[in-house]
């Protein structure tokens, strides 16, 4: 089977002011120049306050916009929260959901994540649904079981018909921001397993076409090898996406 088109996504976490976000995004666009993006999509996920100016800055470029989180309700008395339609209004195509930092620091449960994925899809936003095991879960050989549970719970009752409605990101918690990347063998084993599970939950067509990204200390030095793996369809990049030069090197890898 031909390689699926790649998605290279930058997760800027809680970095950069609105102006800094728009500036860095433009720098990335200009460094990419006329680099061929026909089989690669580039997405940037700035903080909520950076979304609108960054979306405006990227309007005439091929780079797409994503948010890092959202709430599942459409509107109402939810002080401090942001809805899917607000993200759409800022020009978002994607929304990262269930990042391990949301799960760990903000106690997000599989149930909450499930509601967010469902609301995102209903609003035609593509969720980048993150899953990953901790170091101790890997050491205890629980990786595949943990991911199985996260994915089944996260997608419970959610209907997906095409490959473009959902993206999955495998991000081992122990590899995020640590400089410690999973080995190509570990990544391929997990991604293959996730694809098999998607086939069981949905069907062969969705499984063959869905994008499964890898995230966790991706940098220019390891991106080419990881992205060449059969079941890896892109990368979710944190630290190395903050600098235009580093990120464009990964995109071109
Ligand atoms: P990292 O983060 O690239 O800095 O490891 C990845 C992520 O959290 O998405």
């Amino acid at each position: 089977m031909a390689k699926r088109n790649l998605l290279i996504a930058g997760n800027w976490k809680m970095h950069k002011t609105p102006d800094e976000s728009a500036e860095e995004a433009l720098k990335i666009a200009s460094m990419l120049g006329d680099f061929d993006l026909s089989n690669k999509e580039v997405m940037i996920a700035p903080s909520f306050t950076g979304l609108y100016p960054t979306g405006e800055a990227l309007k005439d470029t091929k780079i797409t916009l994503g948010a890092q989180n959202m709430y599942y309700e459409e509107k109402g008395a939810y002080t401090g929260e942001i809805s899917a339609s607000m993200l759409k209004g800022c020009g978002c195509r994607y929304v990262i959901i269930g990042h391990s930092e949301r799960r760990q620091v903000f106690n997000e449960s599989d149930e909450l994540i499930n509601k967010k994925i469902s609301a995102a899809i209903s609003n035609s936003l593509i969720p980048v649904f993150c899953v990953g095991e901790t170091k101790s879960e890997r050491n205890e050989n629980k990786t595949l079981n943990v991911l199985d549970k996260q994915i089944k719970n996260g997608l419970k009752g959610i209907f997906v018909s095409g490959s473009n409605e959902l993206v999955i990101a495998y991000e081992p918690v122990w590899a995020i921001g640590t400089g410690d990347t999973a080995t190509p063998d570990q990544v391929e084993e997990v991604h293959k397993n996730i694809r098999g599970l998607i086939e069981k939950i949905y069907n062969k067509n969705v499984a063959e076409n869905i994008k499964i990204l890898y995230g966790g200390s991706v940098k220019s030095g390891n991106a080419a090898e990881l992205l060449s793996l059969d079941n890896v369809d892109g990368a979710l990049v944190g630290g190395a996406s903050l600098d235009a030069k580093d990120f464009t090197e990964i995109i071109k890898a």
Side-chain angles (χ1 to χ4, degrees), residues 11 13 99-101 171 175-179 215-218 236-240:
N11 172 11
K13 308 193 180 184
H99 190 279
S100 70
E101 286 148 21
E171 298 207 303
I176 295 176
T178 57
S217 298
V218 174
L236 183 52
V237 187

Side-chain angles (χ1 to χ4, degrees), residues 18-244:
D19 283 350
E20 287 166 352
S21 295
E23 252 166 55
E24 199 72 30
L26 272 184
K27 219 193 253 179
I28 292 167
S30 96
M31 281 185 166
L32 282 175
D34 50 12
F35 180 75
D36 179 15
L37 288 175
S38 53
N39 56 2
K40 255 183 205 178
E41 183 180 343
V42 177
M43 180 265 268
I44 294 172
S47 68
F48 284 140
T49 57
L51 284 175
Y52 189 75
T54 305
E56 288 293 298
L58 291 175
K59 242 180 190 158
D60 297 323
T61 74
K62 288 195 174 134
I63 300 176
T64 54
L65 193 68
Q68 300 172 18
N69 181 32
M70 58 169 260
Y71 194 54
Y72 63 84
E73 293 286 0
E74 193 47 47
K75 59 178 163 211
Y78 305 103
T79 302
E81 291 298 325
I82 303 273
S83 73
S85 56
M86 292 171 185
L87 299 181
K88 292 282 288 188
C90 287
C92 288
R93 174 171 156 82
Y94 293 93
V95 56
I96 298 170
I97 293 180
H99 190 279
S100 70
E101 286 148 21
R102 299 294 319 168
R103 293 176 187 262
Q104 295 193 324
V105 186
F106 302 97
N107 291 317
E108 288 200 7
S109 64
D110 285 348
E111 290 67 33
L112 177 63
I113 289 164
N114 174 255
K115 287 181 179 163
K116 292 184 177 191
I117 294 173
S118 175
I121 294 177
S122 310
N123 282 278
S124 307
L125 276 172
I126 305 171
V128 178
F129 170 30
C130 301
V131 293
E133 83 286 5
T134 62
K135 189 80 194 167
S136 64
E137 287 164 342
R138 175 160 284 273
N139 290 341
E140 291 162 26
N141 271 324
K142 291 183 182 157
T143 300
L144 298 181
N145 285 341
V146 167
L147 297 174
D148 227 70
K149 186 164 165 271
Q150 288 176 352
I151 292 172
K152 281 185 185 151
N153 289 341
L155 297 179
K156 200 176 273 174
I158 290 173
F159 178 73
V160 171
S161 58
S163 54
N164 247 340
E165 289 169 34
L166 173 70
V167 170
I168 295 182
Y170 168 53
E171 298 207 303
V173 178
W174 49 272
I176 295 176
T178 57
D180 204 4
T181 320
T183 66
D185 284 351
Q186 288 171 328
V187 174
E188 183 58 19
E189 184 200 21
V190 166
H191 281 226
K192 220 174 144 183
N193 208 269
I194 293 176
R195 208 174 291 287
L197 183 60
I198 292 298
E199 179 169 347
K200 271 192 229 153
I201 300 176
Y202 299 108
N203 56 53
K204 200 175 166 78
N205 180 50
V206 173
E208 275 179 357
N209 291 296
I210 197 169
K211 285 186 179 52
I212 307 175
L213 315 184
Y214 169 77
S217 298
V218 174
K219 38 191 178 279
S220 57
N222 59 24
E225 186 178 26
L226 290 162
L227 292 171
S228 72
L229 298 170
D230 280 351
N231 283 293
V232 173
D233 314 309
L236 183 52
V237 187
S241 71
L242 287 168
D243 178 77

